[in-house]
Amino acid sequence: MFKNYDTIILGGGAAGLFCAARAGHRGKRVLVLERAAKVGKKILISGGGRCNFTNVNAGPANYLSSNPHFAKSALARYSPKDFIELVDSYGIAHHEKTLGQLFCDGPAQQIVDLLLAECAKGNVEIRCEEDIEKVSHSDQAFTVITQNGTYSAPALVIATGGPSIPKMGATGFAYDLARQFGLKVVEPRPALVPLTLGGEQVLFREISGVSAPVVATANKASFAEAALFTHRGLSGPAILQVSSYWKPGDAVSINFLPDHSEGWLLEAKRLKPRATLRSVFREVLSDRLADILADKIALSTELGNAPDAKLREAEARLSRWIFQPNGSEGFAKAEVTIGGISTAELSSKTMESQKIPGLYAIGEAVDVTGWLGGYNFQWAWASAVAAADAL
Ligand code: FDA
């Protein structure tokens, strides 16, 4: 089989489907080639099955990229409000969970259905279970050969995502293709990923399952959210957020009592001289966490007998507890990938390659990575629209 289109989109995920739909609405003949048996698999598992489809606060400051300015244009032209309007137009009920994060009330399938309905309106052809064997470019046309046929179009959009969660079929295909066309790839790293602890810090395994509201910091990036101790190390939203800023060898600092002002422990000494560190910690932290932190500080006397300097030291330690992760759980557990197709060679307005006209890259494949909390889907939608409007 040989068929011609205006645009071929590789990857039927969030970005690929949305780009296809929008280009279809503009009258383009669009083909989506998806390797998996069905489209939108990551959408289905996202947000614990409820898809955190955007964040009302999404702006350029919520994204990491070698070029922090790159995302500005696309994010400004397609905002969370735009996507929320679309979701509302389908009657999909949603709620704000926390920190501007919008989730479906019902299953994430609703978002996939929305994308498929939008694609249908644009007469988009979606072909699943297509193994891309070869992609070539000549005479201003891209040709894609799969086991089922040969497809050709003057425009090709790379929307195959990043390699996080390989067991769902994620690969570095986008990067291989980009390199084939001479585009640079910023080294991909797992992000929004649990961090692992070893050595002495392994003792924290004793409190595996305990979570606490903290401020976690890595490389000057701080997030006030929950941290969770696991049998392998640290997880929870605060840790996933800082993991995107963390590199091997870096420390992660945790403030266990971000709402306590300096000197609170000396005040506790004055008010309750018979109390112990363990007992005052238990008043403000969960018992298991309080006990392990008090044990590690190892100040067993009653507060009234403890030197002020020691109490100041204990307080400082609690507000800047240093963890030295020995790694992360890697792509197997990473929600997203940092790095990817370099923005240096893409137009921030259209996502088109400056080297190869007609070649576009969108979504997670590109070196733009959002925080946890709906930001990554917002980038998928916004970059998809930027490309679709230019196709
Ligand atoms: P995406 O990965 O969605 O799609 C790429 C598509 O390309 C896939 O369908 C894949 O099968 C296909 N493909 C790959 N290789 C191919 C090939 N060689 N040929 C053809 N097709 C190929 N974000 C957020 O904002 N809110 C949330 O709630 C969550 N939750 C979440 C949970 C979990 C467990 C994960 C792993 C991730 C999230 N994310 C998230 C991140 C979010 O899922 C992610 O950023 C977007 O899905 C990226 O959209 P893309 O379309 O770029 O890639």
Side-chain angles (χ1 to χ4, degrees):
M1 178 181 48
F2 180 89
K3 273 182 95 174
N4 272 311
Y5 297 85
D6 294 321
T7 302
I8 298 173
I9 298 183
L10 305 181
L17 291 176
F18 202 44
C19 183
R22 299 278 299 213
H25 299 169
R26 295 181 56 239
K28 301 284 173 188
R29 289 171 305 137
V30 184
L31 170 69
V32 175
L33 292 174
E34 166 59 53
R35 196 184 43 183
K38 57 180 186 179
V39 294
K41 275 166 76 179
K42 269 193 189 164
I43 300 172
L44 294 178
I45 59 158
S46 69
R50 297 262 183 254
C51 188
N52 176 192
F53 56 82
T54 192
N55 190 301
V56 294
N57 304 317
N62 309 112
Y63 294 84
L64 292 88
S65 170
S66 303
N67 175 1
H69 302 293
F70 182 81
K72 282 182 181 169
S73 171
L75 290 171
R77 280 178 297 137
Y78 193 81
S79 70
K81 195 167 149 278
D82 294 320
F83 196 73
I84 295 164
E85 273 170 25
L86 181 63
V87 168
D88 287 341
S89 74
Y90 277 80
I92 299 173
H94 54 84
H95 61 280
E96 182 175 331
K97 203 166 171 185
T98 174
L99 302 170
Q101 302 168 5
L102 294 193
F103 286 76
C104 297
D105 291 357
Q109 180 69 48
Q110 292 172 297
I111 298 295
V112 176
D113 291 344
L114 174 158
L115 294 169
L116 289 174
E118 287 290 295
C119 282
K121 274 190 211 162
N123 296 316
V124 173
E125 185 178 335
I126 300 174
R127 299 183 65 94
C128 289
E129 295 184 299
E130 290 277 1
D131 284 321
I132 295 160
E133 290 165 0
K134 193 172 168 212
V135 181
S136 57
H137 181 229
S138 66
D139 299 333
Q140 294 175 13
F142 293 89
T143 303
V144 181
I145 300 176
T146 75
Q147 85 282 22
N148 292 323
T150 299
Y151 312 102
S152 178
L156 182 77
V157 182
I158 305 174
T160 51
S164 55
I165 322 268
K167 84 169 186 269
M168 290 189 60
T171 63
F173 177 82
Y175 312 147
D176 297 340
L177 199 55
R179 288 192 190 101
Q180 178 195 319
F181 285 112
L183 305 187
K184 287 204 190 78
V185 173
V186 176
E187 193 198 347
R189 286 188 287 122
L192 301 182
V193 64
L195 298 173
T196 54
L197 296 171
E200 191 241 333
Q201 297 175 331
V202 158
L203 278 179
F204 276 93
R205 267 187 204 156
E206 285 169 24
I207 55 165
S208 169
V210 167
S211 109
V214 303
V215 172
T217 305
N219 269 321
K220 298 190 183 139
S222 295
F223 291 87
E225 288 193 60
L228 170 73
F229 290 91
T230 70
H231 65 289
R232 288 174 55 85
L234 298 168
S235 187
I239 301 303
L240 299 185
Q241 298 281 32
V242 294
S243 74
S244 300
Y245 294 83
W246 180 87
K247 293 206 182 72
D250 291 341
V252 170
S253 149
I254 289 188
N255 183 348
F256 284 105
L257 291 177
D259 298 331
H260 281 53
S261 46
E262 209 180 316
W264 72 273
L265 207 44
L266 290 178
E267 183 66 2
K269 172 180 174 176
R270 198 177 62 75
L271 296 173
K272 301 174 200 162
R274 305 296 308 273
T276 60
L277 215 49
R278 180 180 292 242
S279 69
V280 289
F281 282 7
R282 275 183 169 225
E283 286 172 19
V284 288
L285 295 165
S286 71
D287 289 357
R288 285 166 74 202
L289 182 59
D291 291 357
I292 199 158
L293 294 174
D295 287 353
K296 282 179 181 286
I297 292 175
L299 183 70
S300 51
T301 60
E302 292 176 349
L303 295 187
N305 297 325
D308 286 3
K310 285 277 174 208
L311 293 178
R312 276 197 206 94
E313 222 175 83
E315 198 183 292
R317 206 161 160 212
L318 213 58
S319 63
R320 219 166 351 102
W321 203 284
I322 301 297
F323 290 91
Q324 204 65 51
N326 59 6
S328 81
E329 301 232 11
F331 284 117
K333 293 276 168 66
E335 256 187 40
V336 289
T337 305
I338 269 195
I341 299 174
S342 171
T343 58
E345 286 145 344
L346 299 177
S347 154
S348 62
K349 301 223 162 19
T350 63
M351 305 291 135
E352 188 177 15
S353 158
Q354 282 156 359
K355 270 191 186 156
I356 317 254
L359 180 66
Y360 296 75
I362 57 173
E364 200 180 319
V366 178
D367 173 29
V368 173
T369 308
W371 289 359
L372 183 77
Y375 300 98
N376 284 295
F377 280 135
Q378 187 57 37
W379 170 247
W381 317 136
S383 59
V385 169
D389 287 353
L391 283 165

